[in-house]
Amino acid sequence: MEGQKPKIFSGIQPSGELTLGSYMGALRSWKALQDDYDCVYCIVDMHTITVRQKPAELRRRAMEQLAQYLAIGLDPERCILFIQSHVPQHAELAWILGCYTQFGELGRMTQFKQKSQQHAENITAGLFTYPVLMAADILLYQADLVPVGADQKQHVELCRDIAQRFNGIYGDTFTLPEPFIPKLGARIMSLSNPENKMSKSEPEGCVFLMDRPEDIRRKFKRAVTDSETEVRFDPAGKPGVSNLLTIYCSATGKEIPEAEAEFAGQGYGAFKAAVGDAVVELLAPIRQEASRLLGDKAYLEGIYRRGAEAAQCQARKTLSKVQRKVGFLPR
Ligand code: ATP
Ligand code: LTN
């Protein structure tokens, strides 16, 4: 069976608490795809240190993130779950790929431009070459598909360009990956500022997977909308309401027109309460299961150790092929 299904790779940084945005944009697809693909899912801690971290917090968040991966329904019997820094081939391949990536290409990355503004006092080489490490993540596992939110599309496209360039020089080496972006929920906006993406590094306006039900309800009650009363999907004119409709439909499986009709003539109060309830229903079981799993550290350690071994097995194969192709002498 293994090796016959198409392959998936994706990762999330343990840079903060997982949000409803990362769930609807990425994690939900990860879960849905695990039946039909060979999936490798990673906690990308090496990416996280591109911005200064507190070591104890980084460790704690990596563990919590693994518990949340399991709690949303990723099955360690069906997919590989591991921590990036446990598989040294990521860093090794990243070095090589960096020598096939243009300075100009990296300078055009939207995320780099944003993050270097946010962290103007500490714009490191790691922040700049971040997409090269991401390309190494994906290409090591010969992934066909990369399930991510819309903001990561540009990075997956750069990865594809690097792979194509390498294949052009050395012959077929890497599978060319494609982003997998959900139709609904690819870009969940902040509840307090619906012009901006909900992002864990800006906790204001975020709903977190581990939020208590009462906090979730309160956050939706306070969500920024507009001065009208009509529940209508119009992202340009009514970004707050449209975001809430997207969240509601993504949580309940309903279609946008159906939801618009459901709340016709009801005003925003009832609508916001219903969105809060739908999200509580979605997240409460995840929070419960993640809390339970965090009580069993030995179990979680077992999962990530086993994951690293399985991942390394695949990563070694790709890396040695690449080393041979570029002309490194075998040991
Ligand atoms: P940071 O603030 O540290 O940049 P983030 O909250 O933006 O983090 P990431 O860790 O960058 O989240 O993203 C994890 C995954 O979830 C990625 O695939 C990303 O595209 C997706 N994602 C993140 N935020 C959203 C969002 N608001 N809507 C849809 N998808 C999202
Ligand atoms: N840059 C991604 C995280 C990430 C990733 C990956 C996603 C690192 N390596 C490989 C998909 C595949 C982000 O969410 N900010």
Side-chain angles (χ1 to χ4, degrees), residues 123-291:
I123 306 174
T124 63
L127 194 64
F128 188 64
T129 57
Y130 176 114
V132 179
L133 179 58
M134 178 162 164
D137 296 342
I138 296 167
L139 300 179
L140 268 181
Y141 302 93
Q142 306 287 0
D144 298 280
L145 270 193
V146 184
V148 285
D151 63 302
Q152 294 300 313
K153 184 166 179 261
Q154 194 185 34
H155 285 163
V156 180
E157 284 167 353
L158 175 63
C159 168
R160 199 184 158 87
D161 290 344
I162 298 171
Q164 215 154 15
R165 184 171 306 145
F166 194 97
N167 287 352
I169 303 170
Y170 299 104
D172 237 10
T173 311
F174 296 123
T175 303
L176 300 184
E178 278 186 48
F180 177 96
I181 295 168
K183 285 200 185 71
L184 192 71
R187 191 169 164 81
I188 299 294
M189 310 310 277
S190 155
L191 296 191
S192 55
N193 183 0
E195 313 275 332
N196 288 352
K197 188 188 85 133
M198 184 183 285
S199 172
K200 57 173 131 73
S201 52
E202 286 163 47
E204 163 100 4
C206 277
V207 172
F208 298 105
L209 296 197
M210 296 301 273
D211 274 347
R212 295 176 310 170
E214 56 270 36
D215 293 329
I216 296 176
R217 290 202 175 90
R218 184 177 40 79
K219 288 179 179 182
F220 280 102
K221 210 177 270 174
R222 290 189 191 160
V224 169
T225 46
D226 52 55
S227 55
E228 301 177 7
T229 53
E230 193 192 356
V231 177
R232 178 166 46 86
F233 190 74
D234 170 10
K238 295 166 76 70
V241 169
S242 305
N243 188 41
L244 293 177
L245 272 170
T246 303
I247 293 174
Y248 182 70
C249 290
S250 178
T252 58
K254 292 180 183 170
E255 301 287 336
I256 299 273
E258 195 184 346
E260 283 174 332
E262 187 180 342
F263 297 105
Q266 288 199 33
Y268 291 163
F271 170 54
K272 286 180 178 181
V275 184
D277 287 344
V279 172
V280 166
E281 197 168 317
L282 181 75
L283 297 187
I286 296 175
R287 173 168 181 258
Q288 232 173 9
E289 177 63 1
S291 308

Side-chain angles (χ1 to χ4, degrees), residues 20 29 53 90 96 104 134 178 185 187 240 277 280 302 305 314:
L20 184 63
S29 316
Q53 302 292 322
H90 290 249
I96 297 174
M134 178 162 164
E178 278 186 48
R187 191 169 164 81
D277 287 344
V280 166
R305 282 204 195 101
Q314 300 186 20

